[in-house]
Amino acid sequence: MKKYQITEWCHHFIGGHVLEGDICIDATAGNGHDTLLLAELVGASGSVIAFDIQEQAVQETKRKIDACGYAERTEVVLDSHVHMGAYAKENTVSCITFNFGYLPGGDHTLATKADTSVQAIEEGLRLLKKDGLMSLCIYSGGDSGFEEKERILAYLKELDPKKYLVIVSEYYNRPNHPPVPAFVIKL
């Protein structure tokens, strides 16, 4: 039986959206799982740009990409996701993934922060093309607190409904502050 972890749930929607030849961004590379999925989906004619501020995350993502033979279609960048606009043009990106919080298995004191996360979402929305999808895995509680979650959700709620469709889901019967999957489609 599937566990329906937040990343699996988001991958389900991403898989039905990304096409061969697309340009995609993994805004928080982490251990490379989203980068790998995107690289598979875009095929040899597409491209993926992955960002992380931690060298450990960049190296692990590169290792996974190289092992699968996707290095030609994937660029892994040691940089903040707030700078993704320097690597992609406006209205060209089909899908952007975010996993907010800290690197699983890494230093919990190094985590995404509310201010830069909202800046990165804003930048990503500018880069998304019409019908482009943004997937956001929002974690809270424990080490990461609640400020980032609250700020991101408040920002998403205020997006112009004529320009964006925002869908926020929740694990309604799971205890201990379960993650929140959210999706934004540029109309």
Side-chain angles (χ1 to χ4, degrees):
M1 183 173 112
K2 283 187 170 234
K3 294 181 183 179
Y4 290 103
Q5 298 297 328
I6 187 172
T7 51
E8 293 172 324
W9 184 243
C10 291
H11 285 186
H12 170 76
F13 291 99
I14 293 166
H17 183 82
V18 175
L19 303 173
E20 188 165 335
D22 280 349
I23 299 169
C24 295
I25 293 175
D26 182 353
T28 50
N31 287 315
H33 301 293
D34 289 345
T35 307
L36 186 60
L37 172 71
L38 294 171
E40 290 171 358
L41 294 171
V42 302
S45 61
S47 64
V48 176
I49 309 164
F51 295 89
D52 211 290
I53 60 168
Q54 295 181 70
E55 182 67 35
Q56 175 187 351
V58 168
Q59 293 307 317
E60 178 59 19
T61 300
K62 284 182 178 179
R63 187 193 66 71
K64 277 189 172 84
I65 292 302
D66 290 346
C68 291
Y70 297 151
E72 299 264 332
R73 64 183 88 161
T74 308
E75 179 181 6
V76 185
V77 180
L78 181 63
D79 197 357
S80 172
H81 50 211
V82 300
H83 301 131
M84 69 177 93
Y87 299 85
K89 294 181 183 173
E90 193 170 329
N91 299 311
T92 63
V93 179
S94 297
C95 183
I96 301 174
T97 62
F98 285 94
N99 280 285
F100 298 104
Y102 53 83
L103 176 65
D107 182 353
H108 291 202
T109 63
L110 296 173
T112 55
K113 304 291 183 212
D115 289 339
T116 53
S117 293
V118 170
Q119 288 175 6
I121 293 168
E122 287 176 336
E123 185 67 3
L125 292 175
R126 195 177 65 74
L127 300 177
L128 276 182
K129 66 182 185 179
K130 184 178 181 343
D131 297 322
L133 174 71
M134 182 179 286
S135 168
L136 305 102
C137 296
I138 307 167
Y139 297 88
S140 65
D143 296 331
S144 57
F146 297 94
E147 179 189 4
E148 183 177 42
K149 173 185 172 184
E150 291 166 6
R151 287 274 305 281
I152 290 170
L153 292 174
Y155 175 78
L156 295 176
K157 190 172 186 84
E158 296 301 317
L159 288 176
D160 184 344
K162 293 178 181 161
K163 295 180 181 179
Y164 303 99
L165 171 64
V166 179
I167 300 168
V168 177
S169 188
E170 63 183 304
Y171 291 94
Y172 201 60
N173 67 338
R174 289 196 180 166
N176 302 324
H177 316 292
V180 176
F183 302 93
V184 180
I185 299 171
K186 190 172 189 176
L187 304 174

